[in-house]
Amino acid sequence: MTEVVSISLENEMDLVLAHKRSMKVAEKLGLTIATQTTFATAVSEVARAIIEYTDNGTLTISIEQNKTRYALKANVIFNTEIKLTAGDEGFYYAQKLVPEFELTGQNGGYVIDMKLGLPRSLKLDAVKIGILRKFFHEELPLNAYEEIKRRNSHLHKLTAEQEEELRRTKLIDEKKTEFISIASHELKTPLTVLKAFTQMAKTTKEPVSDRLRGVLNKIDLQSNKLNSLVQQLLDISRAENGNLHYAMQQVKLNSFIADQLAVMQSIMPNHTINSALGEDIDVMIDILRMEQVFSNLLGNAAKYSRTNTSVEVSSGLNSEGHITISIKDQGIGMSADTMTSIFDKFYRAEDVSKTHAGLGMGLYITSKIVTDHGGKIWVESKENEGSTFHFSLPNCEVA
Ligand code: ADP
């Protein structure tokens, strides 16, 4: 069966469309004017009756092939609570006009099929039917009403497609989060055991050769790196599930920052960290989580810049009385495009993926921690000139 035209039957305006379209299909097939009118009248009668009962009918006109014979078919599908029979007015007249009429229905869902055998003299074949279908597919709207109707139906289709796409993406994202959660928990246990045994071996009283001690130190270092990656994975799944918990406490900000900078300076000896801290205020923070923020931002500043360059850390109160902390590097910077996505989960700039190791988790977690503290995070950057990451934190009085 080849569908040629489909019209939704919602109101009286659709009657005109149903009539004109069925007339045109019959005309294009080469039927006589009398047959065209008969078919179109039968379709309109049925459409009129349906519009009386409901606004959810769909009329489809198609060509049906039965072995070597073809038939012109009008099919109407609709729902109504009203009990209908083929003898009802409208249907009754239509039956008089077309050779085959069938009304079937149950549980309020109805189908009407009307059929008209097509003469062999029309010499129909698949090619001719294809051309007919294309003609109606490309035909301009009959009037402004049909144009709006087509646009509406196009929009509905697009909305439905987008909703489906969204549903699928959400499902994939949920599966991914579930996988991350399971994987990170599964990795955590053997890693803890590995670290414990390495520590035991490192502190053993038995004699250990220098070479073996070197190997143990390497294992320890690499398992620390692995541990920090697994920790980030765990944090991501906690953040997704709303399970990032905070133990907030009041802290003098400047001495907290100074401690962080001292620790980070020892971790990044090839960069110089300079600081210019403003007014010292009290902030409410989760110390461990805020340490993570500094370690991620300073770690990135070092990772994405050449050795022997400096990193400037400054702080100051903004107009809302919140403290803003800025971390400025002289590194590779980033494009405006990259800037819009860096706080997204697993995002990494394309060129960076080839040159720097990483999984794109740090800034996602950092931004989550900052916003959970009631602050904001943003970046200013220029390619090849460096980046400045800023984040604000409410002070104690404001918080
Ligand atoms: P990772 O460093 O593991 O890729 P992040 O979430 O910390 O993950 O960073 C995401 C991306 O943001 C990085 O891949 C990089 O493209 C960009 N980025 C982050 N910090 C900087 C920086 N200081 N300078 C330039 N690009 C940066």
Side-chain angles (χ1 to χ4, degrees):
M1 196 169 65
T2 309
E3 181 186 319
V4 181
V5 173
S6 178
I7 299 165
S8 61
L9 301 173
E10 295 159 58
N11 58 52
E12 277 67 19
M13 310 261 271
D14 296 316
L15 278 182
V16 181
L17 292 183
H19 186 272
K20 288 199 168 165
R21 286 291 177 216
S22 39
M23 190 89 182
K24 189 86 179 170
V25 176
E27 180 200 320
K28 280 273 159 198
L29 277 168
L31 295 170
T32 62
I33 298 205
T35 316
Q36 291 170 30
T37 318
T38 309
F39 179 67
T41 310
V43 170
S44 322
E45 283 293 318
V46 167
R48 189 193 312 281
I50 287 164
I51 288 168
E52 286 282 309
Y53 301 124
T54 178
D55 59 1
N56 63 39
T58 304
L59 161 71
T60 309
I61 300 175
S62 50
I63 310 289
E64 196 179 75
Q65 186 179 9
N66 190 356
K67 294 197 181 122
T68 55
R69 291 249 12 218
Y70 291 92
L72 176 59
K73 182 175 170 183
N75 161 278
V76 188
I77 301 173
F78 61 102
N79 293 303
T80 176
E81 292 307 315
I82 302 165
K83 285 235 164 310
L84 299 175
T85 66
D88 289 340
E89 205 183 335
F91 304 152
Y92 174 77
Y93 289 116
Q95 280 174 79
K96 303 247 166 241
L97 295 169
V98 285
E100 278 185 55
F101 180 102
E102 191 182 12
L103 180 141
T104 47
Q106 55 181 353
N107 304 330
Y110 288 92
V111 180
I112 292 177
D113 278 324
M114 290 179 280
K115 250 192 262 177
L116 193 80
L118 294 171
R120 287 183 203 281
S121 57
L122 295 181
K123 294 199 167 41
L124 277 182
D125 57 27
V127 176
K128 280 190 183 158
I129 294 171
I131 292 170
L132 185 73
R133 184 181 150 85
K134 189 159 175 281
F135 172 84
F136 281 98
H137 195 69
E138 289 169 358
E139 248 242 307
L140 293 175
L142 277 173
N143 50 29
Y145 172 72
E146 191 180 25
E147 188 171 345
I148 293 169
K149 216 170 136 77
R150 280 194 197 175
R151 282 196 198 158
N152 268 348
S153 115
H154 183 62
L155 277 177
H156 273 126
K157 227 170 111 193
L158 276 183
T159 316
E161 278 168 14
Q162 277 169 353
E163 275 171 4
E164 176 58 19
E165 183 63 29
L166 214 69
R167 196 190 61 77
R168 240 182 291 137
T169 316
K170 221 173 131 223
L171 198 77
I172 293 171
D173 210 47
E174 278 168 15
K175 287 263 167 240
K176 209 159 66 183
T177 308
E178 194 186 329
F179 171 76
I180 292 170
S181 167
I182 295 169
S184 49
H185 279 99
E186 290 295 319
L187 289 169
K188 188 95 189 129
T189 317
L191 199 53
T192 311
V193 176
L194 177 69
K195 262 192 78 63
F197 277 116
T198 317
Q199 283 307 319
M200 260 172 65
K202 273 177 76 177
T203 53
T204 180
K205 298 265 178 306
E206 291 161 41
V208 176
S209 71
D210 283 352
R211 199 175 147 268
L212 190 56
R213 193 168 298 284
V215 170
L216 287 174
N217 282 339
K218 278 187 186 142
I219 295 177
D220 201 27
L221 185 75
Q222 294 305 321
S223 54
N224 279 344
K225 280 192 186 168
L226 204 53
N227 197 40
S228 126
L229 284 176
V230 171
Q231 197 56 49
Q232 283 190 318
L233 279 173
L234 271 172
D235 283 345
I236 283 196
S237 78
R238 286 191 188 123
E240 300 282 287
N241 299 322
N243 288 336
L244 265 186
H245 297 300
Y246 297 92
M248 305 296 262
Q249 51 181 298
Q250 193 165 340
V251 163
K252 284 252 171 270
L253 185 66
N254 282 1
S255 58
F256 173 79
I257 297 180
D259 288 349
Q260 300 314 305
L261 302 193
V263 172
M264 289 308 293
Q265 184 63 83
S266 66
I267 294 175
M268 39 193 268
N270 297 324
H271 290 81
T272 312
I273 304 178
N274 298 316
S275 66
L277 303 183
E279 198 177 332
D280 195 13
I281 60 160
D282 283 356
V283 283
M284 287 292 279
I285 56 169
D286 178 312
I287 290 184
L288 290 179
R289 291 291 176 200
M290 204 42 73
E291 278 176 11
Q292 235 175 312
V293 169
F294 277 89
S295 125
N296 282 339
L297 294 179
L298 285 161
N300 278 350
K303 179 158 107 181
Y304 296 109
S305 62
R306 268 181 292 110
T307 52
N308 298 322
T309 54
S310 62
V311 178
E312 314 292 330
V313 179
S314 57
S315 71
L317 287 176
N318 64 19
S319 55
E320 291 163 10
H322 293 191
I323 193 88
T324 300
I325 298 150
S326 306
I327 297 172
K328 182 175 184 338
D329 64 49
Q330 300 172 343
I332 59 171
M334 59 189 97
S335 66
D337 230 25
T338 296
M339 271 196 272
T340 59
S341 308
I342 48 168
F343 298 110
D344 293 349
K345 194 173 37 169
F346 302 130
Y347 176 81
R348 308 205 70 219
E350 219 177 294
D351 40 350
V352 155
S353 314
K354 295 170 204 132
T355 49
H356 299 74
L359 291 176
M361 296 190 279
L363 286 183
Y364 172 75
I365 296 165
T366 300
S367 77
K368 180 84 181 118
I369 295 173
V370 169
T371 47
D372 285 351
H373 274 74
K376 288 192 187 113
I377 184 162
W378 66 101
V379 67
E380 287 176 276
S381 185
K382 265 211 168 119
E383 276 177 291
N384 304 318
E385 285 185 25
S387 311
T388 309
F389 280 85
H390 305 276
F391 68 96
S392 65
L393 288 176
N395 65 25
C396 270
E397 289 81 50
V398 178

